[in-house]
């Protein structure tokens, strides 16, 4: 009898402790377990028209499928910015998933040469500010949010990620590699963040292999596929596959071109209507889509 009473007391205590442990959660664990994640197609269908307007160029469904992104994963998104992909990933990863934003190292930004002091000062609070923005995009069914800057990755991220995605985020890291080792540092953080077998998904403006290394160093936005594969393998990753999902054969850049001449930036058009029409006809940049894996051993 005493043994039974003791067992009941222990069970009650454990139940109370569990209740207290999860009392702070937005979605109670008991209720969350009954919720189902949304399909990626339904999430994309519900996006604002401004977002949908770029589906033909960015192919989010095919790209995330190619990377193998699934609900419940912990995904690190490099250079998440205003959240174009983040707003897709948050509901898709679901309440069991985690989205971790990763910005460039703070000391890399002055090297661009065009950020004013206010912009540079804002980078000091980027982790807090972006996290607050991303949390405002969430619903009760969305992934949790964290953030860090490359070169200062917190311990809590180490070995926790199922995938890291670099979507048009590698060219500046390569551009300033000789002036601070930023690409090396970011790939080291990526390797450390991933679980064994974890995936790295890359979408990057693609330079012709015939282009000079100087032109294709990232400063014009383009990188060579061979360069990226070599750098990823040097960092310890295995090349898994490539896809033509985001190839645009109309984009045939020469060494006089920068990627930002094309939509949506039109950076070199100077509001020239004919140039804008010309670049609009080309469309967005041609992009390699690559998948790498951290070895399991």
């Amino acid at each position: 009898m005493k043994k039974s009473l003791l067992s009941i007391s222990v069970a009650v205590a454990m139940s109370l402790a569990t209740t207290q442990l999860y009392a702070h959660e937005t979605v109670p664990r008991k209720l969350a377990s009954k919720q189902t994640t949304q399909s990626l197609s339904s999430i994309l269908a519900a996006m604002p028209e401004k977002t949908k307007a770029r589906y033909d160029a960015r192919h989010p469904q095919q790209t995330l499928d190619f990377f193998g992104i699934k609900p419940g994963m912990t995904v690190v998104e490099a250079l998440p910015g205003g959240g174009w992909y983040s707003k897709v990933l948050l509901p898709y990863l679901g309440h069991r998933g985690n989205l971790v934003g990763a910005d460039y190292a703070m000391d890399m930004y002055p090297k661009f040469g065009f950020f004013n002091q206010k912009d540079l000062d804002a980078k000091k609070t980027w982790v807090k500010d972006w996290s607050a923005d991303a949390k405002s995009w969430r619903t009760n069914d969305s992934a949790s949010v964290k953030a860090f800057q490359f070169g200062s990755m917190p311990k809590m991220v180490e070995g926790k990620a199922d995938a890291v995605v670099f979507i048009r985020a590698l060219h500046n890291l390569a551009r300033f590699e000789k002036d601070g080792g930023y690409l090396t540092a970011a790939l080291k953080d990526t390797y450390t963040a991933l679980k064994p077998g974890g995936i790295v998904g890359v979408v990057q403006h693609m330079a012709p292999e015939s282009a000079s290394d100087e032109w294709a160093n990232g400063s014009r936005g383009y990188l060579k596929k061979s360069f990226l594969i070599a750098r990823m393998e040097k960092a310890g990753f295995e090349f898994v596959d490539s896809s033509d999902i985001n190839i645009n054969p109309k984009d045939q850049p020469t060494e006089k071109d920068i990627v930002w001449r094309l939509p949506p930036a039109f950076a070199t058009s100077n509001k020239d209507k004919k140039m804008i029409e010309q670049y609009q006809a080309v469309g967005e940049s041609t992009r390699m889509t690559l998948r790498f894996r951290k070895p399991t051993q």
Side-chain angles (χ1 to χ4, degrees):
M1 184 67 162
K2 289 183 179 179
K3 187 175 180 181
S4 297
L5 289 173
L6 179 62
S7 299
I8 293 170
S9 298
V10 170
V12 170
M14 290 178 66
S15 177
L16 288 172
T18 301
T19 300
Q20 291 172 350
L21 178 62
Y22 294 116
H24 69 282
E25 293 188 348
T26 304
V27 183
R29 190 67 60 93
K30 185 177 179 180
L31 294 177
S33 65
K34 296 181 180 180
Q35 295 171 343
T36 56
T37 56
Q38 300 179 61
S39 69
L40 181 54
S41 59
S42 66
I43 290 167
L44 292 170
M47 286 291 152
E49 292 304 316
K50 185 178 180 180
T51 301
K52 292 180 182 178
R54 298 190 69 190
Y55 286 178
D56 286 346
R58 303 195 73 169
H59 307 103
Q61 174 89 49
Q62 299 94 319
T63 298
L64 293 177
D65 284 346
F66 176 73
F67 292 161
I69 305 300
K70 302 291 184 186
M73 282 186 168
T74 293
V75 176
V76 177
E77 181 188 359
L79 203 66
W84 197 94
Y85 257 104
S86 304
K87 292 172 185 177
V88 174
L89 287 167
L90 282 167
Y92 182 52
L93 296 176
H95 62 274
R96 296 186 185 279
N98 302 280
L99 180 64
V100 185
D103 197 18
Y104 295 147
M106 192 166 59
D107 64 355
M108 191 175 111
Y109 279 96
K111 300 180 187 300
F112 285 93
F114 53 75
F115 288 103
N116 60 37
Q117 192 57 49
K118 183 179 179 180
D119 293 331
L120 296 176
D121 288 342
K123 288 299 173 184
K124 297 176 182 178
T125 58
W126 180 86
V127 169
K128 177 182 177 182
D129 295 342
W130 185 84
S131 296
D133 286 342
K135 286 175 182 176
S136 74
W137 305 330
R138 297 180 69 250
T139 67
N140 286 348
D141 296 331
S142 295
S144 67
V145 171
K146 296 181 178 67
F148 70 94
Q149 289 164 306
F150 285 119
S152 55
M153 187 179 71
K155 289 282 186 181
M156 65 179 182
V157 180
E158 294 182 7
K160 300 295 194 299
D162 298 288
V164 179
V165 295
F166 288 89
I167 300 177
R168 301 180 306 153
L170 285 165
H171 51 277
N172 286 318
L173 293 168
R175 172 184 181 181
F176 297 117
E177 171 67 2
K178 292 182 180 179
D179 190 19
Y182 295 102
L183 178 60
T184 298
L187 295 184
K188 182 179 179 181
D189 278 353
T190 298
Y191 194 93
T192 303
L194 283 169
K195 301 173 183 176
I199 291 300
V200 183
V202 172
V203 177
Q204 179 58 50
H205 312 295
M206 185 170 66
E209 288 295 325
S210 59
S212 68
D213 291 343
E214 181 181 5
W215 179 81
N217 67 358
S219 61
R220 277 78 168 178
Y222 292 99
L223 295 173
K224 294 181 183 181
K225 182 178 178 181
S226 59
F227 166 82
L228 269 185
I229 292 176
R231 285 308 304 254
M232 293 295 291
E233 290 180 338
K234 182 179 180 181
F237 298 101
E238 300 170 344
F239 175 61
V240 178
D241 200 3
S242 66
S243 172
D244 292 341
I245 296 166
N246 295 300
I247 293 293
N248 176 8
K250 293 182 180 179
D251 180 23
Q252 298 288 336
T254 70
E255 298 203 8
K256 295 179 181 179
D257 292 324
I258 62 172
V259 75
W260 302 283
R261 77 195 188 283
L262 298 172
F266 297 112
T268 59
S269 66
N270 295 316
K271 299 183 179 179
D272 183 303
K273 185 178 179 180
K274 287 185 178 180
M275 290 184 70
I276 290 176
E277 289 176 349
Q278 174 188 337
Y279 294 144
Q280 191 73 61
V282 173
E284 296 194 29
S285 67
T286 190
R287 299 162 191 162
M288 64 185 105
T289 306
L290 311 175
R291 179 171 171 165
F292 300 89
R293 177 175 52 224
K294 179 177 178 176
T296 54
Q297 294 181 346

